[in-house]
Amino acid sequence: MAKVIVNATHKGGEGKTTNSIVLAEYAALIKQFRTLIIDMDPQANFSGRYIKMSYDPAYQGGKIPPLHPDYEPDVDKDWDGRSGIANIFYGEEVIPYPTPLSNLELAPAHSVKLQEAEAVTKNEVREKVHLQLKRFLEQPDVQKSYDVIIIDTPPSKGPLTIAAIKAATHLIIPAQMEQFSIEGIYGMLQLWKQESYCRTNDNPIELVGILPNQIRNINIHRGFLNDLRNKEFTAKYVLPFEIKKRAVYTEILAENANPKSIFDLPENSSERIEYEVACRYIMERVFNHG
Amino acid sequence: MAKKKVFSIGSSLSAGLEETIAAAQNYSGELRIDVIPIKKIEVDDDNPRDLLITFHDLYHGIPEADTHRERKLEELESLQSIANSIKEQGVINPIVVYKQGDIYKLVAGERRTLASILANKNDIQAKILDGRPGELKIRMLQWIENIERADLSLWERLVNLEKIVNAFAEKKGIIPNQVTITDLSNLIGCAKSHAMNLKTVLHADQELKQLIATNKIRNLEKAALIVGIQSKELKRELISECLAGATFKRLKVLALQDNVKKVMQKTIEKRGRQTVAVNFGSTKNIIVAKFILDSLLNNASLSHITPHFKNINFTDHRSIAETFKNLIKKLEKIYA
């Protein structure tokens, strides 16, 4: 069974997308896993890193996937050449895009279509949205094509995040050690709890852990982190390392960045080591669990 | 220098985090409720059923030649009223099943399932457990399911309870008799007095159990009262009064007679060491002492020893006591 790792928290700016990027590149480059990345965020940042997203002509600011490299207008008569993950909500095919990294394929976002799915309010329709991603990923074609699937989610608790959680085998909650972030952790734990209730013992949703992120050496960060580590119930769910707030983690996201990836840094650089240790631990948990 | 600021997560947020994680861990996989097709539901063979009527009977009719036809027709009638309510409201409480391959095995909710068939339903809400639960859990589930049922007879409750007690005893490695009232009240969540009545009636004799099984005695308190009667005749009297419809109050009054007899028959046991000597008591009154001594000494059969007791000083207590002791010693020699 392909592992499905979801980065989720409804607070924005915690590091979901960055973590998805680093973890995906670790899986594809270092571990050589066949990796599928899925961008469920209408902001489409995750997608934009690997393919050149187009601006939606119909909706200002919204992004849509570019024409697929395999698109042949003469042959593919009933396809417009674009295919994002949001297609699962419209009964259309999802055709992953290749990326500059071998072993890494992407099911990109489509801002408007994802936003429409997020805005679904009627109960019966919402239920359909919730299970769509799970159904898609359970398909034999998908299962046999990839070892690991990494999903980035929007900062929300809506149908898109829930769809990701319902499809997940593993959940990571990136979080800063600040008041609103801790409250965000609480909200995400609620979703995890609800989902746990419905799973069977042979198909659990494992909480890999809370990833202490963007840590600075200030009292509040230290204080909150220690608090979480010392409490009996949360202790085992806080990952045993921290990602410090470093310029390089945001620099690698820039369009013309050099280095482009954490893994372009020298192997002994402290920034690379810090995040690579985290990735190694996470991947080991995911693959050796149970 | 400014005081170092110490930060910790607020208590209510902390508590919230803790509760959520605990709940997720404790109930993971246990709250799966889904709608399942009735055709995929089967009775669990290891679970003795109380109904005779089967799924097959409902789909294809009760065969004419069926030996249990009459009982099945009765059951059908009682199922019909549940079926009517299901037609209106649906099944309010999901049945409980566990999955075995492609089939769902029934743990609790047989009546609801059969009634749903009668109500022409194809599927039913079910709570799906992960694998077959242990014996004690199954019996508890059945008990809890049945608590809501007003039509459950005393006998049906006792039968279920006996199974619970046996399963509990097996789990604890004791014999069923050793299951205490406290155990029972904790298991089924009732007052100790209620548990006491239940335990009493569980150990009733065959005759009484037969009366309960045939629904002649339907009230737990009355049954418990009757079991407690020692006297056979009184017990018979209470039973016939009960069958004739006597109130609990009346039966209690009758039962008091048993208690009165009990008090009379009770032997008073002495405490302390066994008494091996006789102590004749004491008195401060010299005249009384003189009287007793004189009476003894004037006894004809003691005429041969009275010469030894001629000069008794009757003004001194000690002298009288000494004299008495001597007398006893002499008598002991004679009557050794």
Side-chain angles (χ1 to χ4, degrees):
Chain A
M1 284 266 320
K3 307 289 179 184
V4 181
I5 306 174
V6 170
N7 283 296
T9 171
H10 64 276
K11 178 109 178 38
E14 299 294 277
K16 291 181 286 300
T17 305
T18 305
N19 200 42
S20 301
I21 287 170
V22 178
L23 213 52
E25 290 172 10
Y26 178 79
L29 289 173
I30 309 296
K31 300 296 282 181
Q32 307 277 313
F33 288 149
R34 295 166 307 155
T35 311
L36 173 67
I37 49 181
I38 299 183
D39 191 357
M40 294 287 277
D41 190 347
Q43 290 173 101
N45 298 131
F46 197 21
S47 310
R49 177 172 172 80
Y50 301 103
I51 61 180
K52 186 124 182 73
M53 300 289 277
S54 313
Y55 281 100
D56 194 335
Y59 295 94
Q60 275 207 346
K63 298 201 195 120
I64 57 177
L67 292 177
H68 199 286
D70 295 345
Y71 176 56
E72 290 168 62
D74 320 316
V75 181
D76 304 308
K77 292 277 181 219
D78 30 341
W79 181 29
D80 69 351
R82 304 178 199 271
S83 178
I85 190 69
N87 283 4
I88 60 175
F89 302 121
Y90 293 84
E92 289 158 20
E93 266 198 314
V94 176
I95 302 161
Y97 286 62
T99 68
L101 285 70
S102 59
N103 290 329
L104 191 65
E105 291 188 357
L106 163 69
H110 183 304
S111 302
V112 167
K113 280 185 176 173
L114 282 176
Q115 268 163 1
E116 280 171 3
E118 181 82 334
V120 157
T121 46
K122 279 192 122 171
N123 274 333
E124 52 274 16
V125 187
R126 197 191 265 166
E127 301 280 296
K128 293 201 174 72
V129 169
H130 286 172
L131 293 169
Q132 281 307 88
L133 187 57
K134 175 166 135 73
R135 287 194 193 115
F136 169 68
L137 294 179
E138 279 174 348
Q139 289 177 81
D141 284 347
V142 175
Q143 285 292 314
K144 72 175 196 299
S145 304
Y146 304 103
D147 303 311
V148 67
I149 300 165
I150 297 173
I151 307 179
D152 187 24
T153 59
S156 102
K157 280 203 295 196
L160 293 176
T161 303
I162 295 180
I165 289 180
K166 287 200 178 288
T169 58
H170 293 82
L171 177 64
I172 299 173
I173 306 176
Q176 298 185 65
M177 292 292 114
E178 299 183 357
Q179 182 62 30
F180 302 151
S181 313
I182 310 279
E183 289 177 19
I185 295 176
Y186 177 55
M188 194 46 52
L189 287 176
Q190 299 284 341
L191 287 188
W192 170 63
K193 176 188 81 165
Q194 282 300 119
E195 184 59 20
S196 285
Y197 287 167
C198 316
R199 296 291 186 103
T200 57
N201 283 340
D202 49 290
N203 177 30
I205 175 166
E206 297 292 349
L207 178 56
V208 178
I210 296 162
L211 175 64
N213 204 7
Q214 302 175 56
I215 305 295
R216 285 180 285 144
N217 201 10
I218 56 179
N219 286 338
I220 191 164
H221 284 190
R222 292 276 147 240
F224 280 4
L225 185 51
N226 281 340
D227 227 13
L228 284 179
R229 287 203 196 285
N230 288 333
K231 287 190 195 312
E232 184 197 331
F233 277 96
T234 48
K236 61 167 107 58
Y237 290 115
V238 183
L239 291 169
F241 38 74
E242 57 191 53
I243 307 295
K244 294 195 180 47
K245 190 163 185 68
R246 298 181 189 275
V248 70
Y249 297 146
T250 190
E251 284 164 1
I252 51 161
L253 303 177
E255 210 172 303
N256 295 312
N258 188 14
K260 186 106 179 94
S261 160
I262 298 274
F263 303 101
D264 288 338
L265 294 169
E267 266 182 35
N268 57 5
S269 86
S270 52
E271 295 103 331
R272 174 166 168 175
I273 291 175
E274 179 177 85
Y275 223 134
E276 192 161 350
V277 160
C279 290
R280 186 179 315 132
Y281 178 92
I282 289 170
M283 281 303 175
E284 264 169 28
R285 276 287 300 274
V286 168
F287 279 91
N288 296 333
H289 204 105
Chain B
M1 182 150 100
K3 194 174 148 192
K4 187 176 176 186
K5 288 179 277 186
V6 175
F7 291 92
S8 65
I9 300 168
S11 56
S12 61
L13 185 53
S14 233
L17 289 169
E18 199 171 304
E19 278 163 27
T20 309
I21 291 178
Q25 287 176 323
N26 293 337
Y27 289 97
S28 144
E30 278 201 30
L31 284 174
R32 285 180 61 218
I33 300 197
D34 207 346
V35 176
I36 60 178
I38 293 184
K39 287 247 149 94
K40 285 203 175 170
I41 300 177
E42 267 177 28
V43 173
D44 188 350
D45 299 311
D46 290 331
N47 228 358
R49 311 172 54 214
D50 6 278
L51 293 176
L52 284 177
I53 195 165
T54 64
F55 285 53
H56 190 270
D57 291 331
L58 284 180
Y59 284 121
H60 302 114
I62 307 169
E64 285 291 331
D66 196 322
T67 40
H68 301 286
R69 188 176 162 80
E70 226 186 273
R71 159 99 185 254
K72 285 189 180 184
L73 284 170
E74 279 175 22
E75 290 176 354
L76 192 59
E77 228 183 276
S78 71
L79 287 176
Q80 192 57 55
S81 61
I82 307 178
N84 292 338
S85 123
I86 290 180
K87 271 193 199 132
E88 293 282 315
Q89 320 274 8
V91 166
I92 304 287
N93 279 329
I95 62 174
V96 184
V97 301
Y98 66 92
K99 204 147 192 247
Q100 206 179 64
D102 209 25
I103 300 291
Y104 295 98
K105 293 274 185 153
L106 207 57
V107 173
E110 189 179 349
R111 276 186 176 78
R112 268 165 289 167
T113 314
L114 291 167
S116 295
I117 299 175
L118 266 184
N120 290 321
K121 301 278 184 189
N122 292 321
D123 47 39
I124 187 170
Q125 282 186 27
K127 179 169 156 181
I128 304 165
L129 300 177
D130 242 346
R132 186 173 195 274
E135 179 70 11
L136 180 59
K137 180 145 188 183
I138 287 186
R139 299 296 167 210
M140 288 306 309
L141 276 170
Q142 292 173 329
W143 176 267
I144 293 162
E145 291 290 315
N146 287 332
I147 272 182
E148 307 281 304
R149 292 184 49 207
D151 65 328
L152 212 57
S153 67
L154 176 58
W155 180 244
E156 285 169 311
R157 273 187 283 150
L158 285 175
V159 167
N160 194 340
L161 201 64
E162 193 168 42
K163 291 182 189 151
I164 289 179
V165 167
N166 290 340
F168 181 78
E170 170 139 4
K171 198 171 175 186
K172 295 278 173 183
I174 57 178
I175 56 172
N177 260 345
Q178 289 175 306
V179 176
T180 64
I181 294 172
T182 310
D183 288 332
L184 206 52
S185 78
N186 284 337
L187 267 175
I188 63 176
C190 68
K192 287 218 182 119
S193 53
H194 189 72
M196 184 167 78
N197 284 340
L198 287 169
K199 188 166 151 82
T200 305
V201 178
L202 273 177
H203 296 127
D205 61 38
Q206 264 309 105
E207 189 200 342
L208 199 65
K209 279 195 171 161
Q210 188 59 23
L211 288 170
I212 300 175
T214 50
N215 283 327
K216 301 259 179 7
I217 296 185
R218 285 186 291 273
N219 179 295
L220 177 66
E221 283 79 24
K222 290 184 189 173
L225 185 65
I226 294 172
V227 172
I229 303 293
Q230 305 276 27
S231 149
K232 279 205 175 88
E233 300 91 50
L234 189 57
K235 198 179 229 173
R236 202 141 298 152
E237 198 189 331
L238 255 89
I239 290 176
S240 55
E241 290 258 354
C242 181
L243 292 178
T247 62
F248 181 60
K249 213 168 167 182
R250 163 98 186 112
L251 293 175
K252 263 182 93 171
V253 165
L254 281 173
L256 281 174
Q257 294 173 26
D258 202 43
N259 281 339
V260 166
K261 269 211 205 113
K262 273 199 224 159
V263 165
M264 297 279 277
Q265 286 159 5
K266 206 175 167 193
T267 44
I268 299 162
E269 282 170 9
K270 274 177 79 168
R271 297 253 196 93
R273 289 183 305 152
Q274 224 178 348
T275 313
V276 291
V278 178
N279 188 322
F280 288 100
S282 70
T283 178
K284 289 179 180 160
N285 189 327
I286 291 181
I287 299 172
V288 171
K290 184 176 186 300
F291 173 77
I292 292 174
L293 216 40
D294 279 342
S295 311
L296 276 172
L297 291 172
N298 286 334
N299 190 317
S301 46
L302 289 184
S303 52
H304 56 289
I305 61 169
T306 37
H308 296 276
F309 295 93
K310 275 237 170 36
N311 296 314
I312 305 169
N313 180 0
F314 279 110
T315 56
D316 178 35
H317 289 85
R318 182 167 318 164
S319 153
I320 302 176
E322 286 299 319
T323 311
F324 202 79
K325 279 186 196 156
N326 285 335
L327 176 57
I328 289 181
K329 277 204 187 100
K330 286 239 171 355
L331 286 170
E332 279 180 338
K333 278 199 186 121
I334 297 170
Y335 294 101

